[in-house]
Amino acid sequence: MKYYSLNNQSPEVSFKEATIKGQAPDKGLYFPKSLPGHDKSWIDGIKDKTNEEIALDVIRPYAGEDIPETELQKIVKETIDFPIPLVRINDHIFSLELFHGPTLAFKDVGARFMSRCLGYFARERSEKITVLVATSGDTGGAVANGFYDVDGVEVVILYPSGKVSQVQEKQLTTLGKNIHALEVKGSFDDCQQMVKRAFADTSLTSKQFLTSANSINVARWLPQQFYYFFAYRQWAIKEQPPVFCVPSGNFGNICAGMLAHISGLPAKHFIAACNANNVVPRFLDNGNYEVRPAVPTLSNAMDVGNPSNFVRILELFSHQFPELKKVLTGYTITDAETKETIRAVKEQEGYLLDPHGAVGYLALQRYLAAHPGESGIFLETAHPVKFYDVVEPVIKEKVAVPPAIQQILPLQKHSVKIDAEYNILKDYLLAR
Ligand SMILES: *Cc1c(COP(=O)(O)O)cnc(C)c1O
């Protein structure tokens, strides 16, 4: 597979190069040159395949030229080495639980896949690779965990001080070794801006090999298709395909779902469930794409004012707004509605949502109310315990802490606190 830059000012590259570079030299996002298709017999036979077989078939056309089959098989196996169950909430709503990985959020799949690909490519290089990443919460932990102790790779994570949960902060500041955390006095958008500037700064990149592990990296974005197929494999309502509702921030996850759909995955519709950071729902309503600064909400991993991956969704639909609108609807859910949904679903269905899943649940419920007879899946993107500070006061109960989290809570956080200024980041990187 070849990848081109969405800014169209850079040469095409291989999967390997796209993974190592992260972003094209013209600052565009890489996009696959052709979209592989799964034929009907493959889709019909999906129930007889293992998750590993499905994942390998999905990713092979994208990565198979650069990673030998046995190695790719090993990477895939390690990437999805945990359950991804589809749980019935009621007759029409199902939860795809993506939080059974090591950091209890869906980003584990993309981060584990990318770290293993990069680890494989790093073996052939003499130069050290530095992964530079901005996180609004969950990326940091998943990337830190995925890359921990990978030879030849150093990781520098920027996160907004005071704007990630305590569990999230521990996950990205307590590992040590090749993982370094910078606590930025600013917002996620500030962190993302600083990272983008670093990649564009040739006086820095000529001295250090920098790459990104944000969802703009194709090796993080593409494997997210896996779990949409795993969900369909478990989908029991034969008469019609599911509506997929995706809690969205940077729009990498939902974009992967829509890519899977274009490649043959049966889906009735897609819903972008957003918090107050709703540039896309507003765009889908009125056709105006108005970027605004991010505002903090309870579903903080979706506090993104300018979603990087939305341009990939536009590309998937050849920038045809009417075509896109046929497949995608957006909803905006407030913090008050998020809390009320957590409370009501716990009380009425006995199911505990995290704030991101609650945004997804309510958006799906609204859509289904307007489309009677349809059924859908919302992606439960994080374990509620990661947001116990939000969830516990709402349900007035303690959330049981899984052993993996219990272990890190008492650990000492190690971070370097910096102002949201690019030159401080640059000096830090150059001094290492
Ligand atoms: C990152 C994240 C999201 C948003 O995913 P995008 O791919 O950025 O749209 C939603 N929920 C949780 C828990 C996340 O960590």
Side-chain angles (χ1 to χ4, degrees):
M1 179 70 73
K2 290 280 183 225
Y3 296 81
Y4 61 95
S5 164
L6 290 181
N7 285 354
N8 292 313
Q9 304 296 317
S10 299
E12 286 174 7
V13 295
S14 62
F15 175 76
K16 175 180 165 180
E17 251 185 285
T19 298
I20 293 177
K21 287 207 170 94
Q23 185 176 247
D26 63 10
K27 304 190 189 74
L29 273 64
Y30 282 119
F31 196 86
K33 210 174 162 199
S34 63
L35 303 182
H38 306 288
D39 56 31
K40 189 165 176 310
S41 66
W42 188 87
I43 298 286
D44 290 345
I46 206 166
K47 293 195 168 60
D48 303 321
K49 298 187 210 315
T50 64
N51 277 2
E52 229 176 283
E53 287 166 344
I54 295 170
L56 198 56
D57 284 349
V58 168
I59 207 68
R60 190 186 292 111
Y62 292 101
E65 283 164 15
D66 292 7
I67 304 178
E69 180 78 4
T70 48
E71 190 68 32
L72 193 59
Q73 207 168 354
K74 185 165 156 264
I75 292 173
V76 161
K77 191 180 160 94
E78 288 175 12
T79 298
I80 52 168
D81 189 18
F82 47 84
I84 302 189
L86 185 66
V87 175
R88 180 185 176 280
I89 309 296
N90 58 40
D91 283 351
H92 296 291
I93 300 188
F94 294 76
S95 169
L96 183 66
E97 293 187 348
L98 298 175
F99 56 70
H100 297 281
T103 72
L104 312 184
F106 82 91
K107 293 191 174 71
D108 280 327
V109 170
R112 280 156 83 89
F113 185 80
M114 180 190 164
S115 64
R116 281 153 182 80
C117 290
L118 207 53
Y120 173 76
F121 297 139
R123 269 187 247 157
E124 317 167 340
R125 302 171 64 92
S126 50
E127 197 185 0
K128 188 177 70 178
I129 296 178
T130 298
V131 171
L132 185 61
V133 61
T135 181
S136 60
D138 281 339
T139 299
V143 167
N145 192 283
F147 281 94
Y148 180 63
D149 226 4
V150 171
D151 272 347
V153 182
E154 293 284 312
V155 178
V156 176
I157 301 168
L158 280 73
Y159 71 98
S161 180
K163 296 193 179 72
V164 303
S165 80
Q166 194 201 345
V167 171
Q168 288 174 329
E169 186 168 42
K170 292 280 178 167
Q171 285 178 329
L172 54 96
T173 58
T174 58
L175 283 169
K177 280 204 179 167
N178 59 330
I179 311 296
H180 315 278
L182 294 180
E183 184 177 350
V184 176
K185 294 182 215 159
S187 68
F188 167 67
D189 285 342
D190 292 329
C191 297
Q192 187 149 275
Q193 275 316 345
M194 289 162 76
V195 166
K196 282 186 179 160
R197 260 188 87 178
F199 288 125
D201 182 350
T202 48
S203 68
L204 177 65
T205 55
S206 60
K207 297 194 188 71
Q208 293 203 347
F209 199 96
L210 292 184
T211 190
S212 98
N214 278 97
S215 54
I216 61 170
N217 194 299
V218 294
R220 263 200 62 194
W221 169 50
L222 295 169
Q224 299 180 107
Q225 294 176 89
F226 296 166
Y227 35 74
Y228 292 88
F229 288 100
F230 301 166
Y232 185 69
R233 176 177 179 259
Q234 300 170 74
W235 183 244
I237 304 174
K238 302 271 182 329
E239 312 83 67
Q240 58 174 334
V243 173
F244 282 100
C245 180
V246 188
S248 294
N250 227 349
F251 279 71
N253 197 1
I254 192 169
C255 182
M258 298 180 89
L259 172 60
H261 177 48
I262 287 171
S263 305
L265 171 79
K268 188 95 186 168
H269 199 72
F270 282 85
I271 299 170
C274 293
N275 59 30
N277 298 285
N278 63 351
V279 49
V280 173
R282 281 187 287 113
F283 169 68
L284 291 169
D285 282 343
N286 64 20
N288 295 326
Y289 198 81
E290 274 176 83
V291 170
R292 290 185 190 165
V295 295
T297 73
L298 297 178
S299 43
N300 67 36
M302 304 170 2
D303 294 349
V304 181
N306 188 6
S308 311
N309 280 289
F310 192 65
V311 55
R312 283 189 169 134
I313 294 185
L314 293 175
E315 187 74 5
L316 279 176
F317 289 84
S318 311
H319 296 259
Q320 298 299 310
F321 187 63
E323 295 306 308
L324 174 61
K325 275 195 68 156
K326 280 186 209 155
V327 186
L328 180 65
T329 303
Y331 285 95
T332 304
I333 307 297
T334 67
D335 275 356
E337 290 168 333
T338 302
K339 283 196 205 168
E340 173 51 23
T341 304
I342 293 173
R343 194 200 59 74
V345 173
K346 176 76 167 67
E347 192 182 288
Q348 289 154 21
E349 313 282 4
Y351 190 81
L352 185 58
L353 295 163
D354 95 294
H356 307 77
V359 169
Y361 184 97
L362 185 58
L364 179 58
Q365 199 177 46
R366 287 203 175 146
Y367 180 84
L368 295 178
H371 298 81
E374 295 190 11
S375 304
I377 297 170
F378 70 95
L379 275 55
E380 181 38 298
T381 48
H383 192 294
V385 79
K386 289 191 90 171
F387 304 93
Y388 69 88
D389 39 349
V390 175
V391 172
E392 287 181 350
V394 172
I395 59 165
K396 304 192 172 64
E397 267 176 46
K398 285 260 170 221
V399 183
V401 181
I405 299 292
Q406 263 166 24
Q407 281 168 18
I408 61 165
L409 286 181
L411 299 181
Q412 179 73 36
K413 110 175 177 188
H414 293 284
S415 68
V416 177
K417 211 166 190 171
I418 62 168
D419 286 324
E421 273 175 44
Y422 172 65
N423 283 329
I424 299 177
L425 172 65
K426 182 174 181 176
D427 292 345
Y428 173 86
L429 292 171
L430 287 173
R432 289 176 54 255

